[in-house]
Amino acid sequence: MRPFTYERAASAAAAVEAAQAPGARFIAGGTNLLDLMKLDIEAPAHLIDVGRLPMAGIEATDEGGLRIGAMATNTAVASDPLVRARFPMLSEAIVAGGSPQLRNKARVGGNLLQRTRCAYFYDPTKPCNKRQPGSGCGALEGLNRNAAIFGASPSCVATHPSDMAVALTALDARVETLTAGGGARSIPVADLHRAPGDTPHLETALDDGELITAVVVPPAPTGGQAYRKVRDRASYAGGLASVAVAGGRLALGMVALKPWRATAAEAALVDGADPAEAIGRELAGASPLGRNDFKVPLVARLAVATMAEARAAANGGGQG
Amino acid sequence: MSSVSDWEAPNPVKDNRGGLIGKGVDRYEGPLKVTGTAPYAYEVQPPSPPAYGVMVGAAIARGRITAVDIAAAEASPGVLLAWTHMNAPAQPPRGTKGHPRSTQGSKPALESDRVAYFGQPVAFVVADTLENAVAASHLIRLSYAAEGHDVAFHERLDAAGQPPGEQDVEIGDFDAGFAASEVRLDETWTTPLQNHCQMEPCASLAWWEGPDRCVAHTSVQMVKPAQHGLAETLGIGRDDVHLLTRYIGGGFGGKGQTYDDLTLAALAARALGRPVKVAFTRQQMMHGTIHRPATVQRVRLGAGRDGRLNAMSMMTWTHCHRDGAFTEHASNFARSLYAAPNRLTGHRLVKLDLPHAGAMRAPGEASGTLSLECAMDELAEQLGLDPVELRIRNEPEVDPENGRPFSQRQLVRCLREGAQLFGWDRRLPTPGQVRDGRWLVGLGMAAAIRGNFLLPAKCSFSVDADGVITVRQGMTDIGTGTYTVLAQIAAETLGVPLGQVKVEIGDSELPPAPGSGGQFGAATAGSAALMAGMNLRRAIADLATGDPGSPLHAGDPGDVTFQDGVVAIENRSETLSDLIRRAAPEGLTVEGEIRPAQDAQKWSQQTYGAHYCEVGVDPVTGEVRVRRMLGVFAAGRIINAKTARSQLTGGMIWGVGSALHEGNPVDPRYGSLVNQDLAQYVLPVQADIGELDAIMLDEVDDKANPMGIKGVGELGNSGAGAAVANAVYNACGVRVRDYPITPDRLLAGLIAKGM
């Protein structure tokens, strides 16, 4: 960790204004940023603590959806009665991530912005275009068992680790932000993260100093919801793959540098394809690298099982 | 000459009049640990404010440091010194023993421009705060000339040689016996490199009392080698190093030696004239300390249709550092486990440029049982025999390798009682037959074995005017329960309540004991404690019967009894504190000593167990979850039912990790390990462990030591992973012989079977 200065923002407006300072970063739960600072992967000169801003509420919207304040903890969202009633899959996805201690600290806004767990990103002695642009990608020909199968580039094959973001993508959620100039924006979660391309260090559609203030979830689609995650141990583990189903919408986790909306599969379902056929259509576009080849059959099987679970939930059968 | 017959006499531990032996007594230091007030090495309060040292690891696996730039680090705020090999203090060459009887030679840090492994400490910064030291450490610039490194174990098996000084052990004619066997199995298993992942990383705090005397707190399993090695490195007398290791947050073999944190803390404290603390980071622990090396294990079993083994071979390939000498003896346990007239076991060692391989919990057994105990499961299936019955049919009458009688061997009883308690009769021999929701359910079992040892040790016992007994020993407690069992032995021996016993260990100035390792700790340290306690009893009896003021005066010292803090001869009695306060107000201190019996080698001494496990396998994803697990063990008299059970269940959880989770892949391009923290290096967490229990059979091994106890620290790990793997097969019909059995590996097998 390198020396840095710290301030606690008095308001969201003050926070985005303070963020104009060079090397400034927002911090809320700090569950990811502090780790990265200790490893010298992140070295912000100035931290603006937004964690105590009064943006932690969870409210029903008039349309029948939810507005979740960006500073709500993961635990608060996962245990919220409205969330559990309307979007049980979101609650399942959150609980599938991290550990209770982490979920107690982590906030919704920061969860969406957490950085990859790629081992080459975490080891400063290794090349990583995300950590050090132009240095190369250690994972491309390395031990890339957990690398992306969709949307990767020769510059970066990392995956996005958030479970919650996968659920929000399937739920068609949007983030509300406050821009540096004080303006408000609304961005679909599905568009929040960038494809790596040649610039994997540029991770989101947010401008410098733009602050996520809330996540807005539209009313649940008809049909059931389900979230399944496969991981190397039962808790406190990043996923090998996950699937979020909300009605006819499908999102895949840990297969790309962003939550992967399975649009080809959704289109196939609309055309009357059965679940196996539909996910097969999506996976026809996968580009595994060797050590992560297993993700293709894994996602295929997991998606079929998760869609079945969602159907059962819709029929009042509960969760398998 | 000592003999095991010397241990036949009754003693207070055997008599157990106070009932403390075997009781599940709470940990002596438990309240300190759960309140966060037990001072681990890094938290000890030094006599003046400490400075903070941070190490920098090499970024290449093999080569030379060609240039260093420490100017920016030196100019960084708060920095007190910055060292590389260019400017570090001179130290005696590695291995120097100024004193011929040192148990450890010098271990210089930053000794040259050579880089021998990735992560080797190559630079060091000390600052006034930890934050300043860390920040400065990032400013050190090192240039390297990399040389070709050789880290790809599986590609280098052809370069494997016989470990130095070892030979294969063949009994009978294995090849002929194997060829002639009606049923044969020939399979190969692999196990990955593993890291210890102790909760407490290696850490040290040192300061100097004058120019020639160093006080060092560190986290180490063996006190004397640490003291001697540091003294040799610093070039001072061995008695001029006062080495302390009061509390240790896990060792598992990884702290069987000291590392550069200790050397650098002491050198920097000398250079700066103030205390210095140095700790490994979690990331640095992975490369900068030792690891359990990977293995390839070929097992061949030849049996008759009746299930009796005619031929058994286990050959292990493993690796160690180019300059190292460690061998993971994964085949050794097989020499004592099952009867077979034709036997061949041995090891092959490949030298690599990976960090140093070394001992990790149940070295040998932990890896080796993962093959042989699954091979037995496979053979049972080939034979149409129950796996428990197959083992019983191959139970030897004497040690099958050396013909020695067993001091105790209750393996069959462990197998049978475990089968009954676990409900083994409900196992269906055909895999894949039981479903519970989305899970396929299977049962598996395996045998456990681990040798038992007794080493020389000393101990002192004191009694003070309050009647308080103080045990002092240069022993360690690595979380195993040493403090507690020493307190129990002392209380039982002197007939005082537990609250009247103090235990001081982890200090080089106390009577030496070999420390914690190889599950010899409790037997070795405890036997020395019993001897010291017996000597103190005699001293107290002499004092009482020789003191005209005592009601016991003129009695026979041999008649004195010790109970409830009272010394008595029949109805004449007084409290221990009254006696000492009056007759020896300064207190009494005596020493005792244990030595291995000369004739102990006439017996094959082992501890045994049987593991039973139920797992669920998700046939869609290849995920495995342990549902319940039971171990039944026979390991001599148990001193503390609670700490022994914790040791055993902890070992079983290690087995679950070895079977399903753990392993650190090597990236051959960089010569480094991929997983560098506890998020990436996957150990089982609470949610991975279902119902778990360990049961200890009644046993006294009178050939082991005067108390008849044996170790349990390694035993629980032996065989546990194989029981899990066998349960996985029974659940879904897929054998994965490359550990760990991760979802991707199991999935490949499930898909291949059309599931």
Side-chain angles (χ1 to χ4, degrees):
Chain A
M1 196 176 289
R2 303 193 186 217
F4 59 89
T5 52
Y6 169 93
E7 72 173 282
R8 190 175 291 164
S11 67
V16 294
E17 192 175 330
Q20 297 307 304
R25 292 287 306 271
F26 297 124
I27 186 167
T31 58
N32 191 211
L33 181 60
L34 287 177
D35 280 354
L36 295 171
M37 288 169 66
K38 288 178 191 171
L39 294 170
D40 206 34
I41 294 166
E42 298 249 23
H46 183 61
L47 288 183
I48 303 155
D49 189 345
V50 293
R52 299 183 194 214
L53 294 179
M55 302 193 300
I58 302 170
E59 309 149 9
T61 59
D62 295 342
E63 298 77 39
L66 284 178
R67 188 174 189 283
I68 302 167
M71 297 310 145
T73 66
N74 278 17
T75 299
V77 179
S79 58
D80 184 83
L82 267 176
V83 172
R84 293 168 71 95
R86 294 182 181 178
F87 306 103
M89 183 259 280
L90 175 59
S91 180
E92 288 167 30
I94 292 171
V95 171
S99 63
Q101 294 90 334
L102 287 169
R103 295 195 294 269
N104 288 341
K105 287 296 286 180
R107 315 303 175 88
V108 164
N111 183 301
L112 292 171
L113 300 180
Q114 65 184 300
R115 307 195 69 188
T116 184
R117 300 295 192 268
C118 177
Y120 295 88
F121 172 69
Y122 265 80
D123 179 350
T125 69
K126 302 296 185 287
C128 174
N129 290 318
K130 187 181 270 299
R131 177 168 31 75
Q132 196 184 339
S135 62
C137 173
L140 185 62
E141 290 170 359
L143 293 152
N144 49 29
R145 173 174 175 260
N146 208 5
I149 57 172
F150 289 113
S153 76
S155 295
C156 182
V157 297
T159 59
H160 195 262
S162 170
D163 289 279
M164 187 184 75
V166 182
L168 291 174
T169 298
L171 290 169
D172 251 349
R174 303 175 73 88
V175 295
E176 292 182 348
T177 72
L178 193 60
T179 66
R185 282 214 291 170
S186 170
I187 306 167
V189 172
D191 297 336
L192 179 63
H193 302 92
R194 295 188 184 201
D198 298 335
T199 54
H201 60 291
L202 303 175
E203 298 185 343
T204 71
L206 299 181
D207 294 329
D208 281 349
E210 188 170 1
L211 179 69
I212 297 178
T213 53
V215 171
V216 177
V217 190
T222 53
Q225 304 172 16
Y227 186 80
R228 282 277 300 272
K229 173 187 185 181
V230 178
R231 46 189 149 175
D232 281 325
R233 63 180 163 195
S235 177
Y236 185 49
L240 299 172
S242 76
V243 176
V245 177
R249 296 199 298 256
L250 228 73
L252 310 177
M254 300 93 196
V255 293
L257 199 41
K258 57 188 291 184
W260 191 258
R261 184 76 180 263
T263 48
E266 290 178 12
L269 289 171
V270 170
D271 292 343
D274 70 22
E277 212 180 316
I279 191 66
R281 200 118 13 123
E282 188 72 37
L283 288 163
S287 308
L289 298 164
R291 288 186 176 85
N292 65 351
D293 288 357
F294 74 95
K295 285 194 175 187
V296 175
L298 178 61
V299 168
R301 297 156 74 97
L302 186 68
V304 170
T306 313
M307 283 188 262
E309 237 176 69
R311 269 198 313 279
N315 298 333
Q319 290 133 35
Chain B
M1 286 291 181
S2 60
S3 159
V4 295
S5 61
D6 300 345
W7 301 336
E8 286 168 6
N11 64 48
V13 167
K14 290 182 188 174
D15 296 347
N16 198 18
R17 295 225 167 89
L20 289 172
I21 302 302
K23 198 172 171 186
V25 170
D26 287 347
R27 278 178 196 271
Y28 175 89
E29 80 290 13
L32 287 180
K33 284 185 174 170
V34 299
T35 55
T37 50
Y40 291 81
Y42 204 80
E43 286 111 41
V44 168
Q45 289 300 312
S48 58
Y52 297 81
V54 170
M55 297 182 287
V56 177
I60 61 167
R62 185 161 184 257
R64 276 186 323 111
I65 301 166
T66 53
V68 303
D69 179 358
I70 57 172
E74 285 181 317
S76 189
V79 169
L80 301 169
L81 64 80
W83 286 344
T84 68
H85 68 283
M86 301 289 286
N87 63 336
Q91 301 150 75
R94 186 163 295 270
T96 301
K97 287 188 179 178
H99 191 291
R101 288 198 299 173
S102 280
T103 52
Q104 169 67 52
S106 67
K107 303 182 84 172
L110 310 174
E111 58 185 311
S112 79
D113 62 347
R114 294 294 313 170
V115 174
Y117 57 90
F118 183 94
Q120 172 189 324
V122 288
F124 178 62
V125 186
V126 181
D128 56 349
T129 65
L130 177 63
E131 290 76 12
N132 280 337
V134 171
S137 73
H138 294 313
L139 303 176
I140 288 183
R141 293 288 168 263
L142 299 165
S143 306
Y144 303 95
E147 297 166 11
H149 57 249
D150 200 354
V151 297
F153 171 53
H154 291 276
E155 283 75 55
R156 298 290 287 139
L157 295 179
D158 56 345
Q162 193 72 249
E166 294 186 20
Q167 291 182 329
D168 295 345
V169 177
E170 182 160 23
I171 311 275
D173 183 336
F174 171 74
D175 285 335
F178 186 65
S181 297
E182 290 173 283
V183 179
R184 286 190 293 272
L185 177 139
D186 181 354
E187 294 289 355
T188 299
W189 282 259
T190 67
T191 64
L193 183 155
Q194 295 181 333
N195 295 100
H196 299 77
C197 299
Q198 305 95 332
M199 290 260 279
E200 179 207 22
C202 294
S204 298
L205 162 64
W207 66 85
W208 290 73
E209 293 175 344
D212 297 319
R213 182 175 162 81
C214 180
V215 178
H217 291 260
T218 191
S219 186
V220 70
Q221 293 171 229
M222 285 88 173
V223 174
K224 276 290 159 189
Q227 179 199 25
H228 293 175
L230 183 58
E232 295 288 359
T233 309
L234 298 172
I236 60 178
R238 298 188 309 176
D239 294 340
D240 295 324
V241 168
H242 185 189
L243 189 121
L244 299 108
T245 180
R246 298 276 198 211
Y247 302 100
I248 299 164
F252 313 123
K255 293 175 183 169
Q257 56 181 286
T258 60
Y259 300 94
D260 287 353
D261 57 314
L262 176 63
T263 306
L264 290 168
L267 288 172
R270 179 155 66 182
L272 295 171
R274 68 188 275 192
V276 174
K277 292 180 175 188
V278 185
F280 277 78
T281 64
R282 178 58 64 193
Q283 285 74 17
Q284 289 172 339
M285 286 296 288
M286 298 291 183
H287 292 97
T289 69
I290 58 173
H291 58 260
R292 191 200 302 280
T295 68
V296 172
Q297 302 170 37
R298 183 185 184 194
V299 177
R300 285 171 288 172
L301 300 176
R305 290 269 162 221
D306 61 357
R308 287 184 197 283
L309 289 172
N310 181 45
M312 182 217 74
S313 173
M314 184 167 173
M315 296 299 297
T316 298
W317 286 256
T318 184
H319 60 84
C320 77
H321 187 267
R322 187 189 290 268
D323 305 329
F326 179 82
T327 303
E328 182 75 31
H329 285 116
S331 302
N332 274 6
F333 79 97
R335 293 173 180 160
S336 292
L337 191 51
Y338 298 119
N342 303 295
R343 322 166 62 85
L344 173 65
T345 48
H347 303 86
R348 298 289 182 272
L349 191 58
V350 188
K351 300 260 181 159
L352 297 175
D353 297 307
L354 286 170
H356 284 271
M360 181 162 146
R361 198 167 189 181
E365 289 84 356
S367 306
T369 53
L370 288 167
S371 70
L372 181 64
E373 283 303 286
C374 290
M376 289 294 280
D377 200 68
E378 298 195 27
L379 182 66
E381 189 181 32
Q382 280 191 42
L383 291 161
L385 269 180
D386 185 278
V388 176
E389 177 60 25
L390 175 65
R391 286 166 172 87
I392 292 171
R393 286 193 190 178
N394 289 288
E395 175 70 3
E397 287 179 14
V398 295
D399 190 293
E401 207 88 335
N402 54 33
R404 291 175 191 157
F406 296 108
S407 61
Q408 283 285 345
R409 180 171 165 120
Q410 296 205 75
L411 175 58
V412 170
R413 205 179 140 211
C414 291
L415 291 165
R416 289 203 165 116
E417 297 215 2
Q420 189 174 359
L421 289 164
F422 192 73
W424 181 249
D425 58 344
R426 280 180 293 177
R427 172 182 177 267
L428 301 178
T430 307
Q433 303 297 300
V434 182
R435 190 176 262 278
D436 179 5
R438 68 177 164 104
W439 300 96
L440 289 171
V441 180
L443 306 186
M445 58 79 54
I449 182 171
R450 170 74 192 187
N452 186 66
F453 309 95
L454 180 70
L455 302 179
K458 294 181 178 177
C459 186
S460 86
F461 267 46
S462 301
V463 58
D464 68 13
D466 295 324
V468 171
I469 309 296
T470 302
V471 182
R472 292 189 178 89
Q473 192 175 39
M475 179 55 189
T476 57
D477 188 329
I478 57 175
T480 45
T482 308
Y483 276 106
T484 317
V485 298
L486 290 177
Q488 287 173 274
I489 291 167
E492 194 61 56
T493 305
L494 274 305
V496 298
L498 271 173
Q500 217 169 308
V501 177
K502 284 186 188 166
V503 181
E504 294 178 7
I505 58 173
D507 186 330
S508 62
E509 302 197 335
L510 301 178
S516 304
Q519 76 173 24
F520 54 68
T524 298
S527 296
L530 172 63
M531 295 302 168
M534 296 297 285
N535 290 342
L536 184 59
R537 277 171 70 109
R538 278 187 278 275
I540 292 168
D542 288 344
L543 182 71
T545 54
D547 175 23
S550 172
L552 283 63
H553 182 241
D556 181 344
D559 292 340
V560 177
T561 60
F562 296 75
Q563 199 172 351
D564 299 329
V566 172
V567 288
I569 298 176
E570 294 177 344
N571 61 355
R572 293 185 286 150
S573 68
E574 67 176 325
T575 65
L576 190 53
S577 54
D578 284 348
L579 169 66
I580 300 298
R581 194 170 294 135
R582 182 186 65 248
E586 302 296 308
L588 295 175
T589 296
V590 302
E591 284 207 357
E593 181 175 8
I594 188 73
R595 292 192 161 276
Q598 303 283 340
D599 53 358
Q601 296 300 314
K602 289 182 184 170
W603 289 270
S604 176
Q605 275 196 30
Q606 316 282 340
T607 58
Y608 297 95
H611 297 276
Y612 289 85
C613 180
E614 176 182 315
V615 303
V617 171
D618 184 332
V620 171
T621 63
E623 288 169 292
V624 179
R625 296 287 180 263
V626 172
R627 294 157 67 102
R628 61 193 184 100
M629 204 164 174
L630 172 71
V632 177
F633 301 97
R637 188 193 307 275
I638 299 299
I639 299 277
N640 185 318
K642 184 185 281 187
T643 56
R645 183 183 175 282
S646 293
Q647 286 271 296
L648 290 163
T649 53
M652 291 164 72
I653 292 168
W654 275 61
V656 173
S658 288
L660 301 180
H661 305 115
E662 277 190 70
N664 210 338
V666 174
D667 189 322
R669 299 169 300 168
Y670 309 112
S672 59
L673 304 171
V674 170
N675 300 318
Q676 299 186 18
D677 58 41
L678 297 185
Q680 306 267 7
Y681 186 93
V682 181
L683 297 159
V685 295
Q686 191 71 30
D688 291 295
I689 307 299
E691 221 178 278
L692 175 69
D693 203 3
I695 288 168
M696 292 155 272
L697 298 183
D698 284 340
E699 182 175 292
V700 175
D701 192 333
D702 60 6
K703 307 295 188 293
N705 51 64
M707 299 184 291
I709 74 167
K710 294 196 276 199
V712 293
E714 323 273 14
L715 179 63
N717 193 358
S718 172
V724 177
N726 291 334
V728 169
Y729 175 75
N730 184 245
C732 68
V734 175
R735 296 264 185 210
V736 176
R737 299 191 187 89
D738 296 309
Y739 292 100
I741 307 172
T742 47
D744 48 330
R745 288 175 171 164
L746 195 53
L747 188 65
L750 291 164
I751 291 170
K753 282 181 72 78
M755 293 174 76

